[in-house]
Amino acid sequence: AVAEIVDDELSGFIAEAFSTDDLASKIDKILTLPSEQRRSLGKYGRNKIIKNYSSEVVVRILDDIYQTNTID
């Protein structure tokens, strides 16, 4: 789910589902942020993805699941 990946106001903005007004508001908000704040959102998001979703992390998680569910 998006809410698991995007931290609202830290790595982006989450709009209320099915609300075009809220989506428009969030788009306007990000377009009017100073460039340094937009850059900060991107850096935070990139670091979160690397930390939690890199191939090494995913392989380790899948290996742990496999090891836990394997019958000897």
Side-chain angles (χ1 to χ4, degrees), residues 38-57:
R38 289 193 311 270
R39 196 170 293 114
S40 179
L41 290 172
K43 285 180 183 178
Y44 183 94
R46 184 176 192 284
N47 289 336
K48 180 176 180 175
I49 294 301
I50 290 169
K51 180 180 175 187
N52 297 302
Y53 301 101
S54 69
S55 58
E56 293 85 6
V57 171

Side-chain angles (χ1 to χ4, degrees), residues 9-10 30-44:
E9 299 197 19
L10 293 173
I30 202 162
L31 290 175
T32 58
L33 284 176
S35 62
E36 187 53 42
Q37 282 184 283
R38 289 193 311 270
R39 196 170 293 114
S40 179
L41 290 172
K43 285 180 183 178
Y44 183 94

Side-chain angles (χ1 to χ4, degrees), residues 1-7 11 45 48-49 53:
V2 172
E4 293 174 359
I5 296 173
V6 176
D7 292 323
S11 62
K48 180 176 180 175
I49 294 301
Y53 301 101

